Amino acid sequence: MDFNIAVIKGDGIGPEIVDEAVKVLDKAAEKFGHKFHYTRVLMGGESIDTYGVPLTDEAIAECRKNDAVLLGSIGGDAAVSPWYKLEPQLRPEAGLLKLRKSLGLFANLRPAYLYDELRAACPLRDDIIGDKGVDLVIVRELTGGLYFGERKTFVADGLKTAVDTLSYNENEIRRICRKGFEIAMKRRKKLTSVDKANVLDSSRLWRSIVEETAKDFPEVEYSHMLVDNCAMQLVRDPGQFDVVLTENMFGDILSDEASEIAGSLGMLPSASLNETGFGMYEPSHGSAPDIAGTGKANPLATILSAAMLLRYSLNLDKEADAVENAVSSVLKDGLRTGDIMSDGMKLLSCSQMGDAVADRI
Ligand code: NAD
């Protein structure tokens, strides 16, 4: 089959890591009889240098025409880059926020997977990780809740006072719940919905809609967990989780906690999806300007983001498995980039790592 992918290489190490992900995608396409058509789109610093703004309307329109967007990372070193002398709305990061909003990407997926070979990078004790390991995904609502509610600062009774509003309507909750259950169906069919229903009305509404949605997914085993308990359970027994479904702020905090458990930044993919399955896929790390152009970047987070693109936007599960298995196999063979290097392993450059993954598909 033919698929269209918008590619935003971005700044810093962005172009290097995206080239490796495209190399791996092309190998998967060749192996499974597909054709991927790529369109370059500019965003971030590169777009500022070319068009004077971090994201043009044409760039947004181009992304919409494609089946998915693959993004490297954007931004520069704020201490030296001229981009950071511009007004905040003209800086590279403003382009990314605008693009996420324009594409209606309300569901953020952050998997945390601990490779056996990288166990030493996990800050948890070996007996906590046990035989189950860590293989979970946080499904976070991204466009509602406390970060988007009404807020104000004022003086009341002579005291400075600030108010933030945590508001969700049933439709906003329903669409992220459906997404969470759909993702559970593609994984081990277990979902933990995280809320604070003992205190918050928004959480009680959330819980009732999880119950309602669950009826459409009878194969998924689901449960509710309070957010404070979840924060504790993640470091006490992370192997119990498959899909963790939660609202915006809880997800923000829990996804950073979960990613720390999985060790290196260079290994962590992410996806942001809209209702139709269209999505933007990017590594969780930034543009690492300190190592840009040196060949030291680890492309695996971007390659694993491309695997998510295959699975969630193109519905190519076998192809996604092939990419993920190739990454596992590279690690088993002792091949490493500098950031995940340890004694006795073989050090590869960014493009050698891309070759090694592509060779194993
Ligand atoms: P960073 O993630 O770019 O780098 C942090 C450290 O991790 C650096 O030492 C870097 O060399 C290393 N690192 C990151 N990714 C790596 C990889 N793939 N392989 C090997 N080492 C890697 O964070 P930062 O330095 O705080 O930010 C740099 C720029 O990236 C800033 O302009 C920031 O705004 C931007 N940023 C962009 C995104 C995005 O595009 N979504 C996300 C975070 C930060």
Side-chain angles (χ1 to χ4, degrees):
M1 280 173 77
D2 282 31
F3 297 98
N4 299 311
I5 301 172
V7 173
I8 303 174
K9 293 191 176 186
D11 310 311
I13 60 170
E16 305 161 50
I17 54 180
V18 168
D19 285 349
E20 299 318 309
V22 167
K23 187 186 279 175
V24 170
L25 281 173
D26 281 341
K27 184 65 190 292
E30 184 193 319
K31 175 101 184 173
F32 291 91
H34 304 298
K35 181 94 188 109
F36 297 141
H37 305 277
Y38 306 100
T39 308
R40 274 289 308 274
V41 174
L42 301 193
M43 199 250 293
E46 199 186 11
S47 175
I48 297 173
D49 291 346
T50 312
Y51 300 115
V53 289
L55 182 73
T56 61
D57 290 344
E58 292 74 22
I60 300 171
E62 189 55 53
C63 287
R64 284 210 182 97
K65 279 193 230 155
N66 285 267
D67 298 309
V69 182
L70 178 66
L71 166 65
S73 48
I74 51 124
D77 180 345
V80 293
S81 167
W83 300 327
Y84 296 91
K85 296 200 169 59
L86 300 167
E87 295 291 305
Q89 74 277 10
L90 290 176
R91 293 180 191 171
E93 289 71 13
L96 182 56
L97 295 180
K98 186 173 170 191
L99 187 58
R100 283 185 182 143
K101 195 161 184 233
S102 308
L103 298 175
L105 305 174
F106 67 89
N108 182 234
L109 276 56
R110 286 263 300 264
Y113 180 77
L114 180 63
Y115 289 90
D116 250 2
E117 295 75 19
L118 300 181
R119 267 194 181 211
C122 173
L124 298 182
R125 280 198 327 260
D126 223 37
D127 61 303
I128 294 176
I129 300 301
D131 295 336
K132 285 187 285 188
V134 181
D135 181 4
L136 63 91
V137 59
I138 309 253
V139 177
R140 165 190 170 194
E141 203 290 326
L142 202 57
T143 56
L146 202 56
Y147 298 171
F148 290 86
E150 197 186 323
R151 65 178 63 106
K152 57 182 177 214
T153 304
F154 52 96
V155 176
D157 299 330
L159 297 174
K160 275 191 235 163
T161 305
V163 176
D164 296 285
T165 319
L166 200 180
S167 153
Y168 272 110
N169 68 43
E170 58 180 310
N171 289 345
E172 290 171 316
I173 301 175
R174 199 168 281 119
R175 64 182 184 176
I176 188 74
C177 284
R178 286 207 82 76
K179 196 60 88 183
F181 277 92
E182 282 163 15
I183 286 160
M185 286 299 291
K186 281 181 171 277
R187 293 176 47 99
R188 300 194 305 278
K189 300 189 173 64
K190 188 174 175 209
L191 180 142
T192 310
S193 171
V194 173
D195 62 35
K196 190 70 183 167
N198 52 344
V199 180
L200 301 175
D201 267 9
S202 57
S203 283
R204 286 189 274 271
L205 179 62
W206 181 280
R207 223 174 240 224
S208 71
I209 290 176
V210 170
E211 298 282 342
E212 174 196 306
T213 310
K215 295 194 178 99
D216 293 338
F217 298 89
E219 285 177 60
V220 176
E221 177 201 330
Y222 76 99
S223 59
H224 302 283
M225 189 179 275
L226 296 176
V227 63
D228 37 354
N229 187 22
C230 182
M232 189 172 71
Q233 293 297 333
L234 273 172
V235 287
R236 195 182 209 178
D237 178 18
Q240 71 183 284
F241 296 108
D242 178 14
V243 173
V244 175
L245 169 70
T246 192
E247 62 90 54
N248 201 345
M249 182 178 63
F250 298 159
D252 189 8
I253 299 166
L254 295 176
S255 61
D256 270 18
E257 185 187 1
S259 65
E260 184 60 24
I261 296 170
S264 169
L265 207 54
M267 298 298 302
L268 295 168
S270 81
S272 305
L273 308 177
N274 76 8
E275 253 147 337
T276 66
F278 175 90
M280 183 154 81
Y281 299 82
E282 56 181 309
S284 296
H285 59 72
S287 61
D290 52 333
I291 56 166
T294 63
K296 288 184 184 161
N298 181 351
L300 293 178
T302 316
I303 290 171
L304 292 166
S305 303
M308 293 182 82
L309 183 157
L310 294 171
R311 192 181 304 284
Y312 295 115
S313 281
L314 308 189
N315 267 313
L316 300 176
D317 286 334
K318 277 200 313 290
E319 294 76 350
D321 288 344
V323 173
E324 288 167 357
N325 292 338
V327 170
S328 287
S329 152
V330 158
L331 296 174
K332 278 199 185 76
D333 291 346
L335 306 179
R336 303 281 190 273
T337 45
D339 58 316
I340 50 172
M341 187 64 187
S342 55
D343 284 351
M345 302 292 129
K346 184 169 182 222
L347 182 65
L348 299 188
S349 69
C350 182
S351 73
Q352 287 170 328
M353 183 55 97
D355 289 338
V357 176
D359 287 348
R360 285 164 176 74
I361 289 179

